[in-house]
Amino acid sequence: MTLVYGSLVAANVDPIEKKPFFHFLPGSLAYSIATAGCNFRCLHCQNADISQLPRETGRIPGEFVAPEDVISAAQSLGCRSIAYTYTEPTIFFEYAFDVAELAHRAGLKNVFVSNGYTGEEAAQKITPILDGINIDLKGDDQFYRKVCGAKLEPVLHNIDLFWKKGVWVEVTTLLIPGYNDSEAVLKDIAEFLAGISQDMPWHVSAFYPTYKMNDVPGTGVESLRRGLKAGRDAGLRYVYAGNIPGESENTVCSVCGEELIERLGYRIIRNSVIDGHCRKCGSALAGIWG
C-alpha cells in the first residue's frame, strides 16, 4: 500500500537540461513532480528535506493533485514532458504510472530521474510508456554501501534493462572528492556504459557540500576532466561535465567534430541539429530530437 499517492511536495517547470537530459528534446520544458520519500539514504542528498523527511520525522507532507490535473498543468504551461524527479520515482510508482499513462495518451513524453533501484516488475511495467530515464550511477559497490545504504548490482542491471527495452537512457555520476573520483572507479563506470552502448550520454557532475557531507570539499575541475577522459578513453561518444558552467557542456558530432549544441548551464545558446542529424556531415545523433 502506498502512503504518498498524489501527495505532491513539488510541482515545477524545469528545462529538460536540468534533469540532466542533453539528448532528449533539448531546449524544451518538463513539468517536474515529486512526493516525499526515497529508498536510499544518501549522505550527500541535495533534496534531503523531502527525500528523508518521512524517515527522519515520521511525517508525510504533500497536497493531493489528481493525475489528470498534472497533465492539464503541464499542457497549460507549455511543457513537452512530465519529469518524475527530485525524489526517487519508484517511491511513488503507482501515482507516477497513472500520470504517465495519461501523459502518453495526451502526447506528452515521460522521463524518470532515478537512482536506478527499481524492482523488476515495476521496471518492466513502466517501460512501454517511459520515454527517457536518467539514472545515477554513483560509484562502486563500496560507495553504495557506505554512502547510500544500497548495492551497486541492481543499478547496473536496470541501466542495461532500460536501454535494451528502448527507453532513452542518460547516466549521471556526481563526483565526490576521495569517494568516487579515482581513475579506477571512473574507468570501471565508463567501460560498463560503453559496453552497453557508446551512444549513451554520461554526465560527470561536480559535488557541492550538503546534508551530512558538509565537511567534504566541493569537486574541482580536475576531477571532472578525469571523468571526461575516462569516458572518452572508453569510447563513449557523448561525455559531459555538470555543475560548472562552461566546462564541456556542448554536443559535438562524433563523426566530423562539428559543434552542434552550445550550452551554458541549463540554457541552450545555439542548436543546429537538423532532424536529429549533424548539419555538416549529415550523420545521425543518438537521442530523441523531435
Side-chain angles (χ1 to χ4, degrees), residues 22-26 163 168-170 197-201 237-240 249-263 268 270-290:
F22 278 13
H23 288 237
F24 190 101
L25 303 181
W163 183 270
W168 178 249
V169 179
E170 302 196 19
S197 175
Q198 292 178 318
D199 284 331
M200 188 182 298
R237 297 186 177 100
Y238 310 107
V239 189
Y240 299 101
E249 299 175 299
N250 299 336
T251 295
V252 175
C253 176
S254 63
V255 177
C256 73
E258 179 75 0
E259 186 176 272
L260 297 171
I261 304 178
E262 181 183 355
R263 301 179 179 85
I268 299 286
R270 177 177 57 85
N271 181 356
S272 56
V273 175
I274 301 173
D275 295 328
H277 292 75
C278 174
R279 66 171 181 177
K280 184 177 180 180
C281 72
S283 297
L285 276 76
I288 295 177
W289 303 103

Side-chain angles (χ1 to χ4, degrees), residues 75-93:
Q75 291 173 324
S76 67
L77 291 165
C79 297
R80 295 182 67 184
S81 59
I82 309 287
Y84 310 81
T85 181
Y86 305 137
T87 61
E88 171 51 42
T90 302
I91 292 298
F92 56 101
F93 183 85

Side-chain angles (χ1 to χ4, degrees), residues 167-237:
V167 178
W168 178 249
V169 179
E170 302 196 19
V171 171
T172 299
T173 303
L174 186 72
L175 302 187
I176 304 176
Y179 283 81
N180 64 350
D181 66 340
S182 70
E183 288 185 8
V185 170
L186 294 170
K187 180 175 183 288
D188 285 348
I189 292 174
E191 290 182 349
F192 168 77
L193 299 179
I196 298 173
S197 175
Q198 292 178 318
D199 284 331
M200 188 182 298
W202 185 31
H203 304 261
V204 289
S205 296
F207 160 84
Y208 291 94
T210 187
Y211 192 39
K212 296 183 179 181
M213 296 186 77
N214 276 312
D215 57 338
V216 178
T219 308
V221 70
E222 299 81 10
S223 287
L224 291 187
R225 290 173 180 170
R226 191 156 57 243
L228 294 169
K229 183 179 185 301
R232 291 163 183 161
D233 287 350
L236 291 173
R237 297 186 177 100

Side-chain angles (χ1 to χ4, degrees), residues 3 52-61:
L3 300 178
Q52 302 304 309
L53 189 67
R55 179 179 288 113
E56 293 181 349
T57 70
R59 294 190 299 110
I60 301 176

Side-chain angles (χ1 to χ4, degrees), residues 53-207:
L53 189 67
R55 179 179 288 113
E56 293 181 349
T57 70
R59 294 190 299 110
I60 301 176
E63 179 178 342
F64 181 78
V65 180
E68 54 267 26
D69 292 335
V70 174
I71 307 305
S72 297
Q75 291 173 324
S76 67
L77 291 165
C79 297
R80 295 182 67 184
S81 59
I82 309 287
Y84 310 81
T85 181
Y86 305 137
T87 61
E88 171 51 42
T90 302
I91 292 298
F92 56 101
F93 183 85
E94 295 87 351
Y95 180 66
F97 183 83
D98 288 350
V99 174
E101 275 199 315
L102 295 179
H104 184 70
R105 293 177 203 156
L108 294 168
K109 301 292 189 185
N110 291 301
V111 297
F112 273 16
V113 181
S114 174
N115 60 27
Y117 229 62
T118 305
E120 185 78 16
E121 183 179 351
Q124 295 284 356
K125 184 175 182 178
I126 196 67
T127 51
I129 54 174
L130 188 65
D131 300 285
I133 186 168
N134 187 301
I135 295 179
D136 284 347
L137 180 45
K138 298 176 185 289
D140 58 14
D141 192 63
Q142 182 181 4
F143 181 92
Y144 272 89
R145 292 173 186 272
K146 180 178 179 180
V147 178
C148 308
K151 299 177 183 178
L152 171 62
E153 193 281 328
V155 182
L156 300 180
H157 171 78
N158 281 326
I159 292 172
D160 185 61
L161 182 152
F162 281 112
W163 183 270
K164 288 178 178 175
K165 286 288 186 178
V167 178
W168 178 249
V169 179
E170 302 196 19
V171 171
T172 299
T173 303
L174 186 72
L175 302 187
I176 304 176
Y179 283 81
N180 64 350
D181 66 340
S182 70
E183 288 185 8
V185 170
L186 294 170
K187 180 175 183 288
D188 285 348
I189 292 174
E191 290 182 349
F192 168 77
L193 299 179
I196 298 173
S197 175
Q198 292 178 318
D199 284 331
M200 188 182 298
W202 185 31
H203 304 261
V204 289
S205 296
F207 160 84

